[in-house]
């Protein structure tokens, strides 16, 4: 039987809003982020923003609840426009598999291109493949290699999940969204908002110009410190990238254990001093 109105099941665009699925003409022309941030909508702030606050809260609750039991994970970023046969997609698939074999879940934006390749690599290697989708004007949807998916309305809620539940970021060639995540991570590490968070750039030919500019312009003019460049690991070697992440996690664990042992030793010493003082006081009174 022919389809009426020229509709082809499975090929029409659709947008997910939690339990709600929108297709064709029901898809709005603007996103929740746009309606929240566009100052031209100032007139409805008093009536709508209070409800938006609850919706934003619900996104954080949903994300925290869904990802709370996630194993150690690595967030992987890269272009949605990359073709499956591109070097970065091949690298992303190999990376996803290597991370899975090292015991990490792989978190991506859940879209096509590099994201899909990383999810596929992790899934094929038996790892947990996670996709954090976002409402966009041109909906991409969650790729077929994601095992656990969450669709977000708001970028800032989604970005929190990328950082909160990951032990590292790996950034492959991408566009504005990829750059946004890269510099968000670097800022959080530089300012101490997250501790010892490895940031790996893969695709040296793609990133070399940016890295050189960071060193020769930004650092040279004192806008960042030379030590800040050490926050970035630049490589084309998947094994080296995974090793860098594993070693950074081991080093952090060792430092945290040393701090814990020092705290225990200090507490024990204070207790000994207190007991000695108490005994001395009893002897004096006796």
């Amino acid at each position: 039987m022919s389809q009426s109105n020229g509709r082809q099941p499975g090929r029409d665009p659709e947008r997910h809003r939690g339990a709600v699925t929108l297709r064709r003409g029901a898809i709005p022309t603007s996103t929740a982020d746009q309606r929240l941030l566009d100052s031209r909508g100032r007139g409805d702030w008093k009536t709508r923003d209070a409800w938006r606050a609850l919706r934003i809260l619900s996104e954080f609750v949903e994300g925290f609840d869904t990802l709370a039991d996630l194993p150690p994970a690595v967030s992987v970023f890269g272009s949605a426009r990359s073709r499956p046969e591109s070097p970065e997609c091949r690298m992303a698939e190999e990376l996803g598999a290597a991370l899975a074999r090292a015991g990490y879940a792989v978190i991506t934006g859940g879209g096509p291109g590099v994201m899909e390749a990383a999810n596929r690599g992790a899934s094929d290697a038996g790892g947990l493949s996670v996709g954090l989708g976002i409402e966009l004007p041109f909906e991409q949807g969650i790729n077929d290699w994601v095992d656990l998916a969450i669709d977000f309305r708001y970028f800032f809620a989604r970005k929190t999940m990328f950082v909160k539940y990951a032990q590292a970021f790996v950034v492959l060639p991408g566009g504005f969204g990829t750059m946004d995540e890269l510099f968000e991570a670097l800022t959080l590490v530089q300012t101490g908002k997250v501790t010892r968070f490895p940031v790996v750039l893969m695709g040296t030919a793609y990133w070399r110009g940016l890295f050189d500019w960071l060193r020769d312009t930004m650092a040279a003019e004192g806008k960042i410190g030379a030590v800040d460049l050490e926050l970035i690991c630049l490589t084309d070697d998947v094994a080296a990238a995974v090793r860098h992440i594993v070693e950074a996690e081991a080093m952090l664990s060792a430092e945290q254990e040393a701090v814990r042992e020092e705290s225990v030793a200090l507490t024990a010493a204070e207790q000994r001093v207190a007991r000695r003082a108490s005994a001395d006081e009893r002897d004096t009174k006796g």
Side-chain angles (χ1 to χ4, degrees):
M1 175 181 287
S2 62
Q3 298 294 323
S4 61
N5 299 325
R7 294 177 179 176
Q8 301 182 50
R11 296 187 180 182
D12 287 317
E14 66 179 38
R15 180 173 297 173
H16 298 276
R17 289 181 171 176
V20 178
T21 298
L22 304 172
R23 291 177 177 158
R24 295 178 289 274
I27 299 176
T29 56
S30 62
T31 66
D33 260 332
Q34 180 182 346
R35 292 189 292 275
L36 172 67
L37 299 173
D38 193 341
S39 62
R40 289 171 294 182
R42 186 182 299 270
D44 68 359
W45 283 5
K46 291 184 178 180
T47 58
R48 295 191 178 184
D49 276 7
W51 292 107
R52 285 181 178 139
L54 294 177
R55 181 182 291 169
I56 291 166
L57 177 62
S58 74
E59 290 212 339
F60 281 104
V61 171
E62 186 72 30
F64 294 155
D65 185 59
T66 302
L67 301 175
D69 297 323
L70 205 65
V74 174
S75 291
V76 179
F77 301 95
S79 177
R81 304 184 184 191
S82 295
R83 305 300 302 170
E85 65 277 6
S86 66
E88 60 264 27
C89 280
R90 293 196 297 269
M91 184 182 294
E93 186 171 347
E94 184 182 349
L95 172 69
L99 288 170
R101 289 192 293 268
Y104 294 100
V106 171
I107 305 173
T108 77
V114 168
M115 294 174 282
E116 182 172 2
N119 286 134
R120 177 172 185 165
S123 182
D124 282 347
L128 181 61
S129 181
V130 181
L132 306 181
I134 185 70
E135 177 190 22
L136 294 172
F138 302 100
E139 186 70 17
Q140 297 170 345
I142 298 294
N143 69 68
D144 292 337
W145 299 99
V146 169
D147 303 313
L148 175 62
I150 307 176
D151 281 305
F152 289 88
R153 286 183 172 93
Y154 300 102
F155 267 112
F156 51 84
R158 178 187 187 232
K159 289 169 73 174
T160 298
M161 305 305 154
F162 278 130
V163 175
K164 180 174 176 59
Y165 295 100
Q167 275 65 51
F169 272 16
V170 181
V171 187
L172 289 94
F176 286 164
T178 301
M179 295 287 283
D180 178 49
E181 298 293 352
L182 167 61
F183 282 102
E184 173 98 3
L186 291 174
T187 301
L188 290 172
V189 179
Q190 183 197 49
T191 56
K193 296 297 184 180
V194 293
T195 307
R196 196 63 62 81
F197 192 85
V199 179
V200 181
L201 293 182
M202 297 200 70
T204 55
Y206 188 85
W207 296 112
R208 177 57 66 186
L210 173 64
F211 190 84
D212 290 346
W213 180 80
L214 293 175
R215 182 193 61 217
D216 300 337
T217 300
M218 192 176 282
E221 294 186 6
K223 303 302 189 295
I224 60 173
V227 69
D228 292 329
L229 296 174
E230 297 176 9
L231 300 176
I232 302 171
C233 172
L234 181 62
T235 183
D236 286 325
D237 188 334
V238 168
V242 176
R243 184 167 59 251
H244 178 72
I245 293 168
V246 171
E247 290 175 352
E249 184 177 359
M251 186 178 299
L252 178 60
S253 297
E255 290 176 357
Q256 291 174 336
E257 179 62 21
V259 169
R260 189 192 69 80
E261 291 177 354
E262 182 180 353
S263 177
V264 170
L266 180 60
T267 300
E270 290 173 346
Q271 290 173 345
R272 286 194 298 272
V273 170
R275 287 195 297 267
R276 190 177 302 116
S278 178
D280 291 343
E281 183 178 355
R282 288 195 301 268
D283 292 342
T284 300
K285 290 180 179 180

